[in-house]
Amino acid sequence: TLFHQGELGAECFVIVAGALEVLTFVDGAELRLETYSAGQLVGEIALLDRSPRSATVRALADAELLVLDDAAFRTLLAASPDLAMSVLRSGAHRVRNTNQRMIGDLERKNAELQRAYDQLKAAQAELIRLGRIEEEL
């Protein structure tokens, strides 16, 4: 495991070789958000917004990583506006994907809740019907 969700982050990582998975935990269940491979940057969000890690990252197999501390990351971004734009695009893409996934999950859960509510209403109506029959007898 490279880092855990909630930890403070003082560095980011460039994946030189191997693959990493990005995980979060919802109601105690592990949920894979993304998989990263060579050439990609991971962990930069904690450097950009100075917040704790938003996810857990672990290697899927042996991986080789280049570690960039905050100063090196800032120097690299300042020296390469194209890289800075790439980092921004990548972050925006991740946010969009996560939002889409979350919206889809909420829509599925709402549909499940609606089905459960409809079943409950039907069961309640049946209990009322049976109660009326019993009263008539």
Side-chain angles (χ1 to χ4, degrees):
T1 300
L2 189 58
F3 54 80
H4 291 92
Q5 184 172 339
E7 291 179 349
L8 294 178
E11 65 279 314
C12 65
F13 307 87
V14 177
I15 304 169
V16 177
L20 305 177
E21 62 181 347
V22 180
L23 309 163
T24 192
F25 298 88
V26 178
D27 294 330
E30 184 178 283
L31 176 66
R32 181 187 286 177
L33 298 175
E34 291 195 59
T35 305
Y36 292 167
S37 57
Q40 290 186 288
L41 183 66
V42 65
E44 77 283 5
I45 300 298
L47 295 179
L48 293 172
D49 70 1
R50 307 258 192 249
S51 293
R53 301 287 189 187
S54 60
T56 295
V57 173
R58 69 180 175 211
L60 292 170
D62 288 343
E64 183 180 340
L65 306 172
L66 176 65
V67 180
L68 298 174
D69 65 14
D70 187 54
F73 180 63
R74 288 175 179 275
T75 299
L76 192 59
L77 292 181
S80 176
D82 288 342
L83 177 63
M85 282 303 295
S86 177
V87 168
L88 290 172
R89 279 191 201 102
S90 175
H93 177 73
R94 285 185 227 166
V95 168
R96 282 184 196 273
N97 283 345
T98 299
N99 286 346
Q100 291 292 343
R101 190 175 300 128
M102 288 174 59
I103 289 167
D105 288 345
L106 287 172
E107 288 172 341
R108 280 187 293 282
K109 288 177 183 176
N110 282 341
E112 289 173 19
L113 286 171
Q114 185 63 52
R115 282 191 298 275
Y117 177 68
D118 291 342
Q119 290 172 350
L120 183 60
K121 280 188 347 186
Q124 184 180 27
E126 180 65 12
L127 284 174
I128 291 169
R129 186 184 74 78
L130 291 174
R132 288 186 182 147
I133 291 173
E134 193 173 290
E135 284 177 9
E136 291 176 7
L137 294 176

